[in-house]
Amino acid sequence: MNVVITGASAGIGEALADELGKRGDKLVLAARRMDKLQEVAGRGSALAVKCDVTKRNDVFQLFNKSVEHLGHIDAWVNNAGRGIFKTFENVTDEDLDVMIRDNVKSALYGMQTVLPHFKQRGEGVIVNVSSGLSRMPYAAFRSVYSASKAAVNSLTETLRLELAAKYPKIRLLTIMPGPVATDFGNSAVGGGPDSRSLPGAQSPEEVAQVITAALSRRNGDVYTRPEQPEKILGYLNDLSRA
């Protein structure tokens, strides 16, 4: 499988690159930190491309370089994103703009850029890495992050519906991790706890294994822990009775 992964210099993106590389997939890896990205790419035969996914032209150039290198793309993984550590009352206009730019626009640009290629081929997989917080916002200090990921979910679901009749072989996966032991917290707007210190945080390697398994067979929501759907249903039931 020929796969493009954004945000591949660390965390889930890095782990996914390693996992797919082990099974022999051909990869193009994208991120802003070229030194770290080249280190990840160097563990296999992946192409490293410097890319700021919040800039539409950068994403378009990533696509062109990917097709040139791979010949065609089978799967595009929108993994890049950013968190925030602020209570609702302290969120500023700038904070909201950053969350929309880094989490929503970045995914939108990737989806819109690769979609014509998939339509031409009649198949392909778009993977948007969202968050369990988009379904069950239990971390109040990530309110705007949760909202931005909920927007990603809605965009993904709408496109899936739009494509279903004419392009049934174009699949859209929404990945729903819980806490993951990466440096995500350290790079969040407003700082925050190191995600690697959170109790019960899932390893990025385990998340990568779930995504890898889903790439070949799934369409729809993919929860990285089997207990997540039941917890979310419980939350929604409680909410409906409130």
Side-chain angles (χ1 to χ4, degrees), residues 12 16 77-79 126-134 145 149 152-153 156 160 172-178 202 207-208 210-212 214-215 218 220-224 228:
I12 293 173
L16 182 60
V77 183
N78 291 309
N79 169 70
I126 295 174
V127 181
N128 290 328
V129 178
S130 182
S131 170
L133 289 173
S134 65
Y145 171 77
K149 288 300 189 179
V152 171
N153 296 355
T156 310
R160 186 184 298 118
L172 287 100
L173 305 180
T174 311
I175 308 300
M176 303 283 193
Q202 193 173 22
V207 174
V210 173
I211 298 173
T212 298
L215 273 174
R218 291 289 302 274
D221 290 355
V222 177
Y223 294 91
T224 64
Q228 284 176 294

PDB file of all heavy atoms in Angstrom, residues 12 16 77-79 126-134 145 149 152-153 156 160 172-178 202 207-208 210-212 214-215 218 220-224 228:
ATOM      1  N   ILE A  12       1.948   9.490  17.182  1.00  0.00           N
ATOM      2  CA  ILE A  12       1.188   8.493  16.423  1.00  0.00           C
ATOM      3  C   ILE A  12       1.705   8.400  14.994  1.00  0.00           C
ATOM      4  O   ILE A  12       1.827   7.302  14.442  1.00  0.00           O
ATOM      5  CB  ILE A  12      -0.314   8.847  16.438  1.00  0.00           C
ATOM      6  CG1 ILE A  12      -0.881   8.717  17.859  1.00  0.00           C
ATOM      7  CG2 ILE A  12      -1.079   7.944  15.480  1.00  0.00           C
ATOM      8  CD1 ILE A  12      -2.308   9.215  18.001  1.00  0.00           C
ATOM      9  N   LEU A  16       3.076   5.047  13.359  1.00  0.00           N
ATOM     10  CA  LEU A  16       2.397   4.488  12.190  1.00  0.00           C
ATOM     11  C   LEU A  16       3.372   4.274  11.039  1.00  0.00           C
ATOM     12  O   LEU A  16       3.307   3.259  10.332  1.00  0.00           O
ATOM     13  CB  LEU A  16       1.258   5.412  11.755  1.00  0.00           C
ATOM     14  CG  LEU A  16       0.416   4.936  10.575  1.00  0.00           C
ATOM     15  CD1 LEU A  16      -0.250   3.594  10.872  1.00  0.00           C
ATOM     16  CD2 LEU A  16      -0.634   5.991  10.209  1.00  0.00           C
ATOM     17  N   VAL A  77      -3.194   9.896   5.301  1.00  0.00           N
ATOM     18  CA  VAL A  77      -3.468   9.979   6.735  1.00  0.00           C
ATOM     19  C   VAL A  77      -3.255  11.406   7.222  1.00  0.00           C
ATOM     20  O   VAL A  77      -2.121  11.894   7.267  1.00  0.00           O
ATOM     21  CB  VAL A  77      -2.574   9.012   7.542  1.00  0.00           C
ATOM     22  CG1 VAL A  77      -2.928   9.078   9.027  1.00  0.00           C
ATOM     23  CG2 VAL A  77      -2.696   7.585   7.015  1.00  0.00           C
ATOM     24  N   ASN A  78      -4.346  12.079   7.584  1.00  0.00           N
ATOM     25  CA  ASN A  78      -4.276  13.414   8.180  1.00  0.00           C
ATOM     26  C   ASN A  78      -4.093  13.249   9.687  1.00  0.00           C
ATOM     27  O   ASN A  78      -5.066  13.087  10.437  1.00  0.00           O
ATOM     28  CB  ASN A  78      -5.563  14.193   7.881  1.00  0.00           C
ATOM     29  CG  ASN A  78      -5.696  14.557   6.416  1.00  0.00           C
ATOM     30  OD1 ASN A  78      -4.785  15.118   5.821  1.00  0.00           O
ATOM     31  ND2 ASN A  78      -6.834  14.224   5.832  1.00  0.00           N
ATOM     32  N   ASN A  79      -2.842  13.275  10.115  1.00  0.00           N
ATOM     33  CA  ASN A  79      -2.522  13.020  11.513  1.00  0.00           C
ATOM     34  C   ASN A  79      -2.048  14.269  12.252  1.00  0.00           C
ATOM     35  O   ASN A  79      -2.176  14.354  13.469  1.00  0.00           O
ATOM     36  CB  ASN A  79      -1.445  11.929  11.598  1.00  0.00           C
ATOM     37  CG  ASN A  79      -0.874  11.795  12.985  1.00  0.00           C
ATOM     38  OD1 ASN A  79      -1.538  11.339  13.910  1.00  0.00           O
ATOM     39  ND2 ASN A  79       0.382  12.191  13.152  1.00  0.00           N
ATOM     40  N   ILE A 126      -9.059   7.729   3.070  1.00  0.00           N
ATOM     41  CA  ILE A 126      -8.715   8.959   3.789  1.00  0.00           C
ATOM     42  C   ILE A 126      -8.853   8.674   5.279  1.00  0.00           C
ATOM     43  O   ILE A 126      -9.903   8.209   5.730  1.00  0.00           O
ATOM     44  CB  ILE A 126      -9.623  10.127   3.392  1.00  0.00           C
ATOM     45  CG1 ILE A 126      -9.404  10.505   1.918  1.00  0.00           C
ATOM     46  CG2 ILE A 126      -9.365  11.341   4.285  1.00  0.00           C
ATOM     47  CD1 ILE A 126     -10.374  11.555   1.402  1.00  0.00           C
ATOM     48  N   VAL A 127      -7.782   8.910   6.015  1.00  0.00           N
ATOM     49  CA  VAL A 127      -7.772   8.659   7.452  1.00  0.00           C
ATOM     50  C   VAL A 127      -7.606   9.991   8.175  1.00  0.00           C
ATOM     51  O   VAL A 127      -6.616  10.695   7.968  1.00  0.00           O
ATOM     52  CB  VAL A 127      -6.615   7.714   7.853  1.00  0.00           C
ATOM     53  CG1 VAL A 127      -6.634   7.454   9.353  1.00  0.00           C
ATOM     54  CG2 VAL A 127      -6.698   6.407   7.076  1.00  0.00           C
ATOM     55  N   ASN A 128      -8.567  10.328   9.014  1.00  0.00           N
ATOM     56  CA  ASN A 128      -8.474  11.538   9.830  1.00  0.00           C
ATOM     57  C   ASN A 128      -8.318  11.130  11.290  1.00  0.00           C
ATOM     58  O   ASN A 128      -9.198  10.470  11.853  1.00  0.00           O
ATOM     59  CB  ASN A 128      -9.712  12.410   9.658  1.00  0.00           C
ATOM     60  CG  ASN A 128      -9.784  13.058   8.291  1.00  0.00           C
ATOM     61  OD1 ASN A 128      -8.750  13.371   7.699  1.00  0.00           O
ATOM     62  ND2 ASN A 128     -10.981  13.257   7.780  1.00  0.00           N
ATOM     63  N   VAL A 129      -7.198  11.508  11.883  1.00  0.00           N
ATOM     64  CA  VAL A 129      -6.964  11.192  13.292  1.00  0.00           C
ATOM     65  C   VAL A 129      -7.671  12.247  14.137  1.00  0.00           C
ATOM     66  O   VAL A 129      -7.272  13.405  14.175  1.00  0.00           O
ATOM     67  CB  VAL A 129      -5.461  11.133  13.614  1.00  0.00           C
ATOM     68  CG1 VAL A 129      -5.264  10.847  15.104  1.00  0.00           C
ATOM     69  CG2 VAL A 129      -4.782  10.052  12.774  1.00  0.00           C
ATOM     70  N   SER A 130      -8.736  11.840  14.790  1.00  0.00           N
ATOM     71  CA  SER A 130      -9.531  12.723  15.623  1.00  0.00           C
ATOM     72  C   SER A 130      -9.191  12.453  17.085  1.00  0.00           C
ATOM     73  O   SER A 130      -8.027  12.286  17.432  1.00  0.00           O
ATOM     74  CB  SER A 130     -11.022  12.512  15.331  1.00  0.00           C
ATOM     75  OG  SER A 130     -11.822  13.388  16.087  1.00  0.00           O
ATOM     76  N   SER A 131     -10.184  12.375  17.931  1.00  0.00           N
ATOM     77  CA  SER A 131      -9.962  12.160  19.364  1.00  0.00           C
ATOM     78  C   SER A 131     -11.242  11.663  20.000  1.00  0.00           C
ATOM     79  O   SER A 131     -12.348  12.083  19.607  1.00  0.00           O
ATOM     80  CB  SER A 131      -9.517  13.461  20.036  1.00  0.00           C
ATOM     81  OG  SER A 131      -9.525  13.323  21.448  1.00  0.00           O
ATOM     82  N   GLY A 132     -11.101  10.800  20.994  1.00  0.00           N
ATOM     83  CA  GLY A 132     -12.268  10.392  21.759  1.00  0.00           C
ATOM     84  C   GLY A 132     -12.952  11.565  22.426  1.00  0.00           C
ATOM     85  O   GLY A 132     -14.162  11.526  22.717  1.00  0.00           O
ATOM     86  N   LEU A 133     -12.206  12.650  22.667  1.00  0.00           N
ATOM     87  CA  LEU A 133     -12.784  13.855  23.269  1.00  0.00           C
ATOM     88  C   LEU A 133     -13.826  14.501  22.361  1.00  0.00           C
ATOM     89  O   LEU A 133     -14.665  15.272  22.834  1.00  0.00           O
ATOM     90  CB  LEU A 133     -11.683  14.872  23.572  1.00  0.00           C
ATOM     91  CG  LEU A 133     -10.727  14.537  24.716  1.00  0.00           C
ATOM     92  CD1 LEU A 133      -9.606  15.555  24.785  1.00  0.00           C
ATOM     93  CD2 LEU A 133     -11.468  14.479  26.039  1.00  0.00           C
ATOM     94  N   SER A 134     -13.792  14.202  21.078  1.00  0.00           N
ATOM     95  CA  SER A 134     -14.777  14.768  20.158  1.00  0.00           C
ATOM     96  C   SER A 134     -16.149  14.148  20.356  1.00  0.00           C
ATOM     97  O   SER A 134     -17.163  14.725  19.956  1.00  0.00           O
ATOM     98  CB  SER A 134     -14.324  14.552  18.712  1.00  0.00           C
ATOM     99  OG  SER A 134     -14.303  13.168  18.393  1.00  0.00           O
ATOM    100  N   TYR A 145     -10.170  22.266  21.724  1.00  0.00           N
ATOM    101  CA  TYR A 145      -9.596  21.125  21.005  1.00  0.00           C
ATOM    102  C   TYR A 145     -10.693  20.108  20.697  1.00  0.00           C
ATOM    103  O   TYR A 145     -10.804  19.626  19.563  1.00  0.00           O
ATOM    104  CB  TYR A 145      -8.505  20.479  21.854  1.00  0.00           C
ATOM    105  CG  TYR A 145      -7.984  19.165  21.295  1.00  0.00           C
ATOM    106  CD1 TYR A 145      -7.093  19.152  20.234  1.00  0.00           C
ATOM    107  CD2 TYR A 145      -8.397  17.951  21.842  1.00  0.00           C
ATOM    108  CE1 TYR A 145      -6.620  17.953  19.725  1.00  0.00           C
ATOM    109  CE2 TYR A 145      -7.931  16.748  21.341  1.00  0.00           C
ATOM    110  CZ  TYR A 145      -7.045  16.749  20.278  1.00  0.00           C
ATOM    111  OH  TYR A 145      -6.582  15.561  19.779  1.00  0.00           O
ATOM    112  N   LYS A 149     -11.992  18.894  16.923  1.00  0.00           N
ATOM    113  CA  LYS A 149     -12.008  17.506  16.477  1.00  0.00           C
ATOM    114  C   LYS A 149     -13.430  17.046  16.139  1.00  0.00           C
ATOM    115  O   LYS A 149     -13.625  16.214  15.243  1.00  0.00           O
ATOM    116  CB  LYS A 149     -11.391  16.604  17.545  1.00  0.00           C
ATOM    117  CG  LYS A 149      -9.877  16.758  17.668  1.00  0.00           C
ATOM    118  CD  LYS A 149      -9.160  16.423  16.371  1.00  0.00           C
ATOM    119  CE  LYS A 149      -7.644  16.358  16.546  1.00  0.00           C
ATOM    120  NZ  LYS A 149      -6.938  15.997  15.291  1.00  0.00           N
ATOM    121  N   VAL A 152     -13.873  18.030  12.664  1.00  0.00           N
ATOM    122  CA  VAL A 152     -13.225  17.064  11.769  1.00  0.00           C
ATOM    123  C   VAL A 152     -14.133  15.855  11.565  1.00  0.00           C
ATOM    124  O   VAL A 152     -14.301  15.356  10.440  1.00  0.00           O
ATOM    125  CB  VAL A 152     -11.862  16.623  12.329  1.00  0.00           C
ATOM    126  CG1 VAL A 152     -11.293  15.455  11.527  1.00  0.00           C
ATOM    127  CG2 VAL A 152     -10.886  17.794  12.328  1.00  0.00           C
ATOM    128  N   ASN A 153     -14.744  15.369  12.644  1.00  0.00           N
ATOM    129  CA  ASN A 153     -15.670  14.238  12.527  1.00  0.00           C
ATOM    130  C   ASN A 153     -16.797  14.559  11.553  1.00  0.00           C
ATOM    131  O   ASN A 153     -17.143  13.746  10.687  1.00  0.00           O
ATOM    132  CB  ASN A 153     -16.290  13.909  13.891  1.00  0.00           C
ATOM    133  CG  ASN A 153     -15.278  13.430  14.906  1.00  0.00           C
ATOM    134  OD1 ASN A 153     -14.104  13.252  14.601  1.00  0.00           O
ATOM    135  ND2 ASN A 153     -15.742  13.233  16.125  1.00  0.00           N
ATOM    136  N   THR A 156     -15.700  14.597   7.955  1.00  0.00           N
ATOM    137  CA  THR A 156     -15.450  13.241   7.486  1.00  0.00           C
ATOM    138  C   THR A 156     -16.760  12.524   7.195  1.00  0.00           C
ATOM    139  O   THR A 156     -16.917  11.864   6.149  1.00  0.00           O
ATOM    140  CB  THR A 156     -14.656  12.448   8.547  1.00  0.00           C
ATOM    141  OG1 THR A 156     -13.532  13.208   8.967  1.00  0.00           O
ATOM    142  CG2 THR A 156     -14.179  11.124   7.982  1.00  0.00           C
ATOM    143  N   ARG A 160     -18.136  11.201   3.563  1.00  0.00           N
ATOM    144  CA  ARG A 160     -18.458   9.776   3.411  1.00  0.00           C
ATOM    145  C   ARG A 160     -19.845   9.598   2.802  1.00  0.00           C
ATOM    146  O   ARG A 160     -20.055   8.796   1.886  1.00  0.00           O
ATOM    147  CB  ARG A 160     -18.369   9.067   4.761  1.00  0.00           C
ATOM    148  CG  ARG A 160     -18.543   7.552   4.675  1.00  0.00           C
ATOM    149  CD  ARG A 160     -18.546   6.903   6.041  1.00  0.00           C
ATOM    150  NE  ARG A 160     -17.301   7.105   6.744  1.00  0.00           N
ATOM    151  CZ  ARG A 160     -17.172   7.749   7.900  1.00  0.00           C
ATOM    152  NH1 ARG A 160     -18.247   8.278   8.484  1.00  0.00           N
ATOM    153  NH2 ARG A 160     -16.008   7.865   8.473  1.00  0.00           N
ATOM    154  N   LEU A 172     -13.511   6.332   4.282  1.00  0.00           N
ATOM    155  CA  LEU A 172     -13.069   7.381   5.201  1.00  0.00           C
ATOM    156  C   LEU A 172     -13.074   6.849   6.624  1.00  0.00           C
ATOM    157  O   LEU A 172     -14.108   6.386   7.121  1.00  0.00           O
ATOM    158  CB  LEU A 172     -13.971   8.612   5.101  1.00  0.00           C
ATOM    159  CG  LEU A 172     -13.758   9.418   3.813  1.00  0.00           C
ATOM    160  CD1 LEU A 172     -14.825   9.091   2.788  1.00  0.00           C
ATOM    161  CD2 LEU A 172     -13.753  10.918   4.103  1.00  0.00           C
ATOM    162  N   LEU A 173     -11.927   6.897   7.261  1.00  0.00           N
ATOM    163  CA  LEU A 173     -11.770   6.420   8.622  1.00  0.00           C
ATOM    164  C   LEU A 173     -11.591   7.603   9.568  1.00  0.00           C
ATOM    165  O   LEU A 173     -10.791   8.502   9.297  1.00  0.00           O
ATOM    166  CB  LEU A 173     -10.553   5.498   8.748  1.00  0.00           C
ATOM    167  CG  LEU A 173     -10.478   4.288   7.823  1.00  0.00           C
ATOM    168  CD1 LEU A 173      -9.199   3.508   8.110  1.00  0.00           C
ATOM    169  CD2 LEU A 173     -11.684   3.404   8.007  1.00  0.00           C
ATOM    170  N   THR A 174     -12.309   7.594  10.671  1.00  0.00           N
ATOM    171  CA  THR A 174     -12.121   8.575  11.732  1.00  0.00           C
ATOM    172  C   THR A 174     -11.526   7.838  12.923  1.00  0.00           C
ATOM    173  O   THR A 174     -12.186   6.992  13.527  1.00  0.00           O
ATOM    174  CB  THR A 174     -13.456   9.227  12.138  1.00  0.00           C
ATOM    175  OG1 THR A 174     -14.146   9.661  10.962  1.00  0.00           O
ATOM    176  CG2 THR A 174     -13.214  10.416  13.048  1.00  0.00           C
ATOM    177  N   ILE A 175     -10.283   8.127  13.226  1.00  0.00           N
ATOM    178  CA  ILE A 175      -9.581   7.426  14.308  1.00  0.00           C
ATOM    179  C   ILE A 175      -9.834   8.158  15.623  1.00  0.00           C
ATOM    180  O   ILE A 175      -9.631   9.366  15.720  1.00  0.00           O
ATOM    181  CB  ILE A 175      -8.075   7.345  14.025  1.00  0.00           C
ATOM    182  CG1 ILE A 175      -7.820   6.768  12.614  1.00  0.00           C
ATOM    183  CG2 ILE A 175      -7.380   6.505  15.101  1.00  0.00           C
ATOM    184  CD1 ILE A 175      -8.375   5.380  12.389  1.00  0.00           C
ATOM    185  N   MET A 176     -10.258   7.403  16.635  1.00  0.00           N
ATOM    186  CA  MET A 176     -10.638   7.988  17.921  1.00  0.00           C
ATOM    187  C   MET A 176      -9.755   7.460  19.056  1.00  0.00           C
ATOM    188  O   MET A 176     -10.137   6.537  19.777  1.00  0.00           O
ATOM    189  CB  MET A 176     -12.100   7.641  18.231  1.00  0.00           C
ATOM    190  CG  MET A 176     -13.081   8.074  17.187  1.00  0.00           C
ATOM    191  SD  MET A 176     -13.414   9.834  17.295  1.00  0.00           S
ATOM    192  CE  MET A 176     -14.845   9.918  16.236  1.00  0.00           C
ATOM    193  N   PRO A 177      -8.570   8.021  19.238  1.00  0.00           N
ATOM    194  CA  PRO A 177      -7.757   7.607  20.386  1.00  0.00           C
ATOM    195  C   PRO A 177      -8.239   8.285  21.670  1.00  0.00           C
ATOM    196  O   PRO A 177      -8.872   9.344  21.637  1.00  0.00           O
ATOM    197  CB  PRO A 177      -6.348   8.100  20.028  1.00  0.00           C
ATOM    198  CG  PRO A 177      -6.447   8.678  18.643  1.00  0.00           C
ATOM    199  CD  PRO A 177      -7.877   9.004  18.407  1.00  0.00           C
ATOM    200  N   GLY A 178      -7.895   7.672  22.798  1.00  0.00           N
ATOM    201  CA  GLY A 178      -7.999   8.343  24.080  1.00  0.00           C
ATOM    202  C   GLY A 178      -6.652   8.972  24.378  1.00  0.00           C
ATOM    203  O   GLY A 178      -5.917   9.349  23.456  1.00  0.00           O
ATOM    204  N   GLN A 202      -2.386   5.167  26.361  1.00  0.00           N
ATOM    205  CA  GLN A 202      -2.101   4.110  25.388  1.00  0.00           C
ATOM    206  C   GLN A 202      -0.809   4.425  24.651  1.00  0.00           C
ATOM    207  O   GLN A 202      -0.503   5.587  24.368  1.00  0.00           O
ATOM    208  CB  GLN A 202      -3.264   4.022  24.400  1.00  0.00           C
ATOM    209  CG  GLN A 202      -3.287   2.801  23.504  1.00  0.00           C
ATOM    210  CD  GLN A 202      -4.572   2.743  22.686  1.00  0.00           C
ATOM    211  OE1 GLN A 202      -5.237   3.763  22.478  1.00  0.00           O
ATOM    212  NE2 GLN A 202      -4.931   1.560  22.235  1.00  0.00           N
ATOM    213  N   VAL A 207      -1.745   2.278  19.098  1.00  0.00           N
ATOM    214  CA  VAL A 207      -2.642   3.048  18.235  1.00  0.00           C
ATOM    215  C   VAL A 207      -2.300   2.798  16.773  1.00  0.00           C
ATOM    216  O   VAL A 207      -3.188   2.611  15.930  1.00  0.00           O
ATOM    217  CB  VAL A 207      -2.555   4.550  18.565  1.00  0.00           C
ATOM    218  CG1 VAL A 207      -3.374   5.368  17.563  1.00  0.00           C
ATOM    219  CG2 VAL A 207      -3.029   4.815  19.980  1.00  0.00           C
ATOM    220  N   ALA A 208      -1.018   2.777  16.454  1.00  0.00           N
ATOM    221  CA  ALA A 208      -0.571   2.538  15.078  1.00  0.00           C
ATOM    222  C   ALA A 208      -1.008   1.168  14.584  1.00  0.00           C
ATOM    223  O   ALA A 208      -1.385   1.001  13.414  1.00  0.00           O
ATOM    224  CB  ALA A 208       0.944   2.678  14.990  1.00  0.00           C
ATOM    225  N   VAL A 210      -3.691  -0.437  15.511  1.00  0.00           N
ATOM    226  CA  VAL A 210      -5.130  -0.360  15.254  1.00  0.00           C
ATOM    227  C   VAL A 210      -5.392   0.310  13.903  1.00  0.00           C
ATOM    228  O   VAL A 210      -6.214  -0.155  13.106  1.00  0.00           O
ATOM    229  CB  VAL A 210      -5.844   0.404  16.384  1.00  0.00           C
ATOM    230  CG1 VAL A 210      -7.311   0.643  16.034  1.00  0.00           C
ATOM    231  CG2 VAL A 210      -5.741  -0.356  17.703  1.00  0.00           C
ATOM    232  N   ILE A 211      -4.689   1.410  13.639  1.00  0.00           N
ATOM    233  CA  ILE A 211      -4.870   2.111  12.366  1.00  0.00           C
ATOM    234  C   ILE A 211      -4.446   1.220  11.205  1.00  0.00           C
ATOM    235  O   ILE A 211      -5.131   1.145  10.170  1.00  0.00           O
ATOM    236  CB  ILE A 211      -4.069   3.426  12.351  1.00  0.00           C
ATOM    237  CG1 ILE A 211      -4.566   4.378  13.439  1.00  0.00           C
ATOM    238  CG2 ILE A 211      -4.169   4.100  10.973  1.00  0.00           C
ATOM    239  CD1 ILE A 211      -3.726   5.638  13.597  1.00  0.00           C
ATOM    240  N   THR A 212      -3.332   0.543  11.357  1.00  0.00           N
ATOM    241  CA  THR A 212      -2.833  -0.341  10.297  1.00  0.00           C
ATOM    242  C   THR A 212      -3.853  -1.411   9.958  1.00  0.00           C
ATOM    243  O   THR A 212      -4.119  -1.694   8.778  1.00  0.00           O
ATOM    244  CB  THR A 212      -1.503  -0.986  10.733  1.00  0.00           C
ATOM    245  OG1 THR A 212      -0.527   0.043  10.932  1.00  0.00           O
ATOM    246  CG2 THR A 212      -0.998  -1.957   9.677  1.00  0.00           C
ATOM    247  N   ALA A 214      -7.042  -1.244  10.392  1.00  0.00           N
ATOM    248  CA  ALA A 214      -8.241  -0.626   9.827  1.00  0.00           C
ATOM    249  C   ALA A 214      -8.051  -0.180   8.382  1.00  0.00           C
ATOM    250  O   ALA A 214      -9.016  -0.115   7.619  1.00  0.00           O
ATOM    251  CB  ALA A 214      -8.657   0.572  10.681  1.00  0.00           C
ATOM    252  N   LEU A 215      -6.828   0.131   7.992  1.00  0.00           N
ATOM    253  CA  LEU A 215      -6.558   0.664   6.654  1.00  0.00           C
ATOM    254  C   LEU A 215      -7.093  -0.242   5.545  1.00  0.00           C
ATOM    255  O   LEU A 215      -7.554   0.242   4.510  1.00  0.00           O
ATOM    256  CB  LEU A 215      -5.058   0.864   6.451  1.00  0.00           C
ATOM    257  CG  LEU A 215      -4.457   2.191   6.891  1.00  0.00           C
ATOM    258  CD1 LEU A 215      -2.949   2.157   6.748  1.00  0.00           C
ATOM    259  CD2 LEU A 215      -5.040   3.342   6.090  1.00  0.00           C
ATOM    260  N   ARG A 218     -11.679  -1.209   6.955  1.00  0.00           N
ATOM    261  CA  ARG A 218     -12.705  -0.472   7.692  1.00  0.00           C
ATOM    262  C   ARG A 218     -13.200   0.761   6.944  1.00  0.00           C
ATOM    263  O   ARG A 218     -12.556   1.284   6.054  1.00  0.00           O
ATOM    264  CB  ARG A 218     -12.150  -0.049   9.065  1.00  0.00           C
ATOM    265  CG  ARG A 218     -11.909  -1.194  10.038  1.00  0.00           C
ATOM    266  CD  ARG A 218     -13.209  -1.790  10.536  1.00  0.00           C
ATOM    267  NE  ARG A 218     -14.044  -0.792  11.196  1.00  0.00           N
ATOM    268  CZ  ARG A 218     -13.937  -0.461  12.484  1.00  0.00           C
ATOM    269  NH1 ARG A 218     -13.033  -1.052  13.259  1.00  0.00           N
ATOM    270  NH2 ARG A 218     -14.741   0.453  13.006  1.00  0.00           N
ATOM    271  N   GLY A 220     -15.526   4.185   8.519  1.00  0.00           N
ATOM    272  CA  GLY A 220     -16.282   4.713   9.639  1.00  0.00           C
ATOM    273  C   GLY A 220     -15.393   5.014  10.830  1.00  0.00           C
ATOM    274  O   GLY A 220     -14.188   5.208  10.697  1.00  0.00           O
ATOM    275  N   ASP A 221     -16.004   5.034  12.015  1.00  0.00           N
ATOM    276  CA  ASP A 221     -15.273   5.339  13.237  1.00  0.00           C
ATOM    277  C   ASP A 221     -14.438   4.151  13.692  1.00  0.00           C
ATOM    278  O   ASP A 221     -14.907   3.010  13.678  1.00  0.00           O
ATOM    279  CB  ASP A 221     -16.238   5.712  14.362  1.00  0.00           C
ATOM    280  CG  ASP A 221     -16.906   7.059  14.144  1.00  0.00           C
ATOM    281  OD1 ASP A 221     -16.549   7.737  13.160  1.00  0.00           O
ATOM    282  OD2 ASP A 221     -17.786   7.424  14.945  1.00  0.00           O
ATOM    283  N   VAL A 222     -13.210   4.443  14.115  1.00  0.00           N
ATOM    284  CA  VAL A 222     -12.309   3.401  14.625  1.00  0.00           C
ATOM    285  C   VAL A 222     -11.820   3.849  15.993  1.00  0.00           C
ATOM    286  O   VAL A 222     -11.065   4.830  16.102  1.00  0.00           O
ATOM    287  CB  VAL A 222     -11.117   3.169  13.681  1.00  0.00           C
ATOM    288  CG1 VAL A 222     -10.173   2.129  14.276  1.00  0.00           C
ATOM    289  CG2 VAL A 222     -11.601   2.719  12.307  1.00  0.00           C
ATOM    290  N   TYR A 223     -12.271   3.178  17.033  1.00  0.00           N
ATOM    291  CA  TYR A 223     -11.831   3.486  18.391  1.00  0.00           C
ATOM    292  C   TYR A 223     -10.608   2.634  18.708  1.00  0.00           C
ATOM    293  O   TYR A 223     -10.603   1.429  18.454  1.00  0.00           O
ATOM    294  CB  TYR A 223     -12.963   3.232  19.386  1.00  0.00           C
ATOM    295  CG  TYR A 223     -14.123   4.171  19.187  1.00  0.00           C
ATOM    296  CD1 TYR A 223     -15.179   3.843  18.342  1.00  0.00           C
ATOM    297  CD2 TYR A 223     -14.143   5.411  19.810  1.00  0.00           C
ATOM    298  CE1 TYR A 223     -16.231   4.720  18.139  1.00  0.00           C
ATOM    299  CE2 TYR A 223     -15.197   6.293  19.615  1.00  0.00           C
ATOM    300  CZ  TYR A 223     -16.242   5.943  18.779  1.00  0.00           C
ATOM    301  OH  TYR A 223     -17.270   6.816  18.565  1.00  0.00           O
ATOM    302  N   THR A 224      -9.596   3.265  19.266  1.00  0.00           N
ATOM    303  CA  THR A 224      -8.340   2.545  19.474  1.00  0.00           C
ATOM    304  C   THR A 224      -8.366   1.663  20.708  1.00  0.00           C
ATOM    305  O   THR A 224      -7.442   0.878  20.915  1.00  0.00           O
ATOM    306  CB  THR A 224      -7.151   3.523  19.557  1.00  0.00           C
ATOM    307  OG1 THR A 224      -7.302   4.361  20.708  1.00  0.00           O
ATOM    308  CG2 THR A 224      -7.080   4.382  18.293  1.00  0.00           C
ATOM    309  N   GLN A 228     -14.071   2.005  24.503  1.00  0.00           N
ATOM    310  CA  GLN A 228     -14.471   3.394  24.261  1.00  0.00           C
ATOM    311  C   GLN A 228     -15.923   3.551  23.807  1.00  0.00           C
ATOM    312  O   GLN A 228     -16.640   4.409  24.337  1.00  0.00           O
ATOM    313  CB  GLN A 228     -13.536   4.043  23.234  1.00  0.00           C
ATOM    314  CG  GLN A 228     -12.174   4.427  23.794  1.00  0.00           C
ATOM    315  CD  GLN A 228     -11.262   4.968  22.707  1.00  0.00           C
ATOM    316  OE1 GLN A 228     -10.864   4.251  21.797  1.00  0.00           O
ATOM    317  NE2 GLN A 228     -10.941   6.244  22.806  1.00  0.00           N
TER     318      GLN A 228
END
